[in-house]
């Protein structure tokens, strides 16, 4: 039976809210039940979106057929991935292991310095006991860091820990590159009435392409600029720190979080060094994010920064890391569709 038309807007919104919450709960439950398969599909889709950008560029600029463009881009991608795995990755792993060895020494030295401050304060009649607090914080930080470091390989690989999963990811990526656009278009046009499917596809494609393209540029520029900046500031492990902050920059607000994290860790070695690094990197990060179009995410997606942060938090809650990297374009798509549906239909004279 068709729904009655002309329902009051508050009633429509009131009925929509529980349905949206129910759908989100069902999605989160299904994702946790099939997390390995879902994460592989999402990762393959993201890689296909990234590779589709140079594929389309080759088609437009050089006039190559899509099959030839896909073969060339995939070959270059595999060669680049192999080069990084053979050169940069071992260097990062070595520096990473060295960092885990010196960090407990930094924590111990900081605890001794604070103990000395506590002793001087007690001598002056000011009761400050920080030794137990510092020891507890140091033990907790060390345990958290060790747990994080041990979980990083499993976090990165996820369900891709064996050859079959890697092969499955590769096949899925090629499938999405070749048939993904037609597959999504056919699904949307069959599920949604009229030309709504084409409109949703256009909005999805625009938001995902813009978001991924600009976040890739931002991450690359951050790595290229912050690494030499850290070296000039005489920061420990500049390559590891610069690359890590740059990779975190792919996520909204991730660069600021990475700068804060490494600055606090460097403060354990030298408070003034960590403070100087934090001040300089924050300025550099803000300059980069304002040189690459001002208010990058807000202008590309039409979202307020608060909405972006909320979307990222919801995505992390529903689908962990993969929810984080897809939350912003999905939120932008939802906003665009809601705005389009709220516009009154144009009346012909």
């Amino acid at each position: 039976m068709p729904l009655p038309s002309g329902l009051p807007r508050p009633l429509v919104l009131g009925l929509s809210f529980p349905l949206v919450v129910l759908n989100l709960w069902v999605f989160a439950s299904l994702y946790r039940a099939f997390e390995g398969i879902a994460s592989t599909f999402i990762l393959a889709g993201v890689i296909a979106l990234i590779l589709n950008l140079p594929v389309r560029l080759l088609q437009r600029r050089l006039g190559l057929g899509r099959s030839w463009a896909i073969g060339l881009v995939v070959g270059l991608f595999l060669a680049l991935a192999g080069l990084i795995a053979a050169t940069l990755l071992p260097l990062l792993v070595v520096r990473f292991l060295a960092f885990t060895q010196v960090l407990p020494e930094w924590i111990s030295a900081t605890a001794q310095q604070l103990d000395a401050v506590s002793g001087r304060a007690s001598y002056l009649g000011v009761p400050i006991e920080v030794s137990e607090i510092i020891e507890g914080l140091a033990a907790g930080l060390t345990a958290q860091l060790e747990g994080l470091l041990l979980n990083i390989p499993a976090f990165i690989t996820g369900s891709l820990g064996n050859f079959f999963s890697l092969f499955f990811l590769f096949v899925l990526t090629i499938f999405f590159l070749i048939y993904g656009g037609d597959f999504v278009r056919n699904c949307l046009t069959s599920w949604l009435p009229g030309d709504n499917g084409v409109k949703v596809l256009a909005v999805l494609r625009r938001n995902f392409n813009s978001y991924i393209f600009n976040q890739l540029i931002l991450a690359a520029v951050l790595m290229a600029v912050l690494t030499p900046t850290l070296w000039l500031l005489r920061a420990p492990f500049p390559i590891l720190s610069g690359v890590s902050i740059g990779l975190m920059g792919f996520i909204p607000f991730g660069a600021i979080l990475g700068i804060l994290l490494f600055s606090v860790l460097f403060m354990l070695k030298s408070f003034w060094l960590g403070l100087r690094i934090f001040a300089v990197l924050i300025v550099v990060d803000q300059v980069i994010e304002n040189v690459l179009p001002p208010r990058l995410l807000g202008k590309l997606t039409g979202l307020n920064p608060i909405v972006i942060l909320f979307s990222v938090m919801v995505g992390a809650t529903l689908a962990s890391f993969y929810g984080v990297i897809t939350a912003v374009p999905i939120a932008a798509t939802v906003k665009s569709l809601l705005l389009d549906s709220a516009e009154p239909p144009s009346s012909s004279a």
Side-chain angles (χ1 to χ4, degrees):
M1 183 179 69
L3 293 176
S5 59
L7 291 176
R9 186 175 179 82
L11 179 60
V12 174
L13 294 177
L15 293 175
S16 301
F17 180 74
L19 293 177
V20 171
V21 173
L22 178 61
N23 286 328
L24 290 176
W25 178 79
V26 171
F27 170 79
S29 302
L30 289 175
Y31 179 84
R32 294 188 183 97
F34 303 97
E35 184 172 0
I37 299 175
S39 61
T40 303
F41 270 82
I42 295 174
L43 183 58
V46 171
I47 294 175
L49 282 173
I50 294 173
L51 296 182
N52 190 53
L53 298 174
V55 167
R56 294 175 61 188
L57 182 64
L58 290 175
Q59 287 182 278
R60 289 199 303 262
R61 296 295 178 84
L62 301 181
L64 294 179
R66 184 163 182 83
S67 299
W68 286 100
I70 290 175
L72 181 59
V73 170
V74 171
L76 292 176
F77 173 75
L78 293 177
L80 180 61
L83 181 63
I84 292 176
T87 56
L88 182 60
L89 186 60
L91 174 63
L92 293 177
V93 170
V94 170
R95 302 309 295 163
F96 191 70
L97 295 176
F99 181 69
T100 60
Q101 293 177 355
V102 301
L103 185 60
E105 300 177 3
W106 294 355
I107 295 175
S108 178
T110 302
Q112 292 177 3
Q113 293 176 4
L114 292 177
D115 273 340
V117 173
S118 176
R120 295 192 189 98
S122 299
Y123 178 76
L124 296 174
V126 181
I128 300 178
E129 292 293 337
V130 297
S131 59
E132 294 183 0
I133 298 177
I134 293 300
E135 290 177 0
L137 290 176
L141 178 61
T142 303
Q144 291 291 332
L145 185 62
E146 289 177 352
L148 175 64
L149 301 181
L150 291 175
N151 289 330
I152 280 179
F155 175 75
I156 293 176
T157 56
S159 62
L160 312 175
N162 52 60
F163 176 79
F164 177 77
S165 296
L166 287 173
F167 178 74
F168 185 53
L169 174 67
F170 177 76
V171 172
L172 268 180
T173 303
I174 300 299
F175 174 83
F176 285 147
L177 277 173
I178 299 175
Y179 303 108
D182 295 334
F183 176 75
V184 174
R185 182 186 300 107
N186 293 334
C187 290
L188 291 176
T189 53
S190 61
W191 294 341
L192 302 176
D195 60 346
N196 290 327
V198 178
K199 293 180 180 179
V200 172
L201 178 63
V203 176
L204 272 173
R205 180 176 294 168
R206 181 181 69 246
N207 286 325
F208 268 92
N209 286 341
S210 299
Y211 174 76
I212 291 178
F213 177 71
N214 286 277
Q215 290 304 103
L216 281 175
I217 292 178
L218 178 61
V221 172
L222 284 173
M223 283 189 283
V225 174
L226 295 186
T227 300
T229 302
L230 287 164
W231 181 79
L232 292 174
L233 292 172
R234 300 184 182 277
F237 309 100
I239 297 178
L240 176 65
S241 307
V243 172
S244 300
I245 296 174
L247 292 176
M248 294 179 69
F250 186 77
I251 302 171
F253 309 106
I256 296 178
L257 180 61
I259 291 171
L260 179 62
L261 173 62
F262 278 96
S263 299
V264 170
L265 293 176
F266 292 151
M267 284 180 185
L268 297 175
K269 176 178 174 61
S270 171
F271 176 79
W272 295 111
L273 173 64
L275 187 61
R276 184 169 68 250
I277 289 173
F278 175 76
V280 173
L281 293 192
I282 283 292
V283 172
V284 172
D285 173 67
Q286 292 304 305
V287 169
I288 291 174
E289 294 197 16
N290 284 276
V291 170
L292 303 175
R295 297 179 64 189
L296 184 62
L297 288 178
K299 286 201 170 184
L300 282 175
T301 62
L303 295 177
N304 185 278
I306 296 178
V307 178
I308 293 175
L309 180 60
F310 178 76
S311 303
V312 171
M313 295 172 63
V314 172
T317 302
L318 294 177
S320 61
F321 174 74
Y322 301 101
V324 171
I325 63 178
T326 57
V328 174
I330 291 176
T333 301
V334 171
K335 178 185 177 182
S336 299
L337 295 176
L338 289 177
L339 291 177
D340 290 342
S341 63
E343 293 180 356
S346 58
S347 58
S348 58

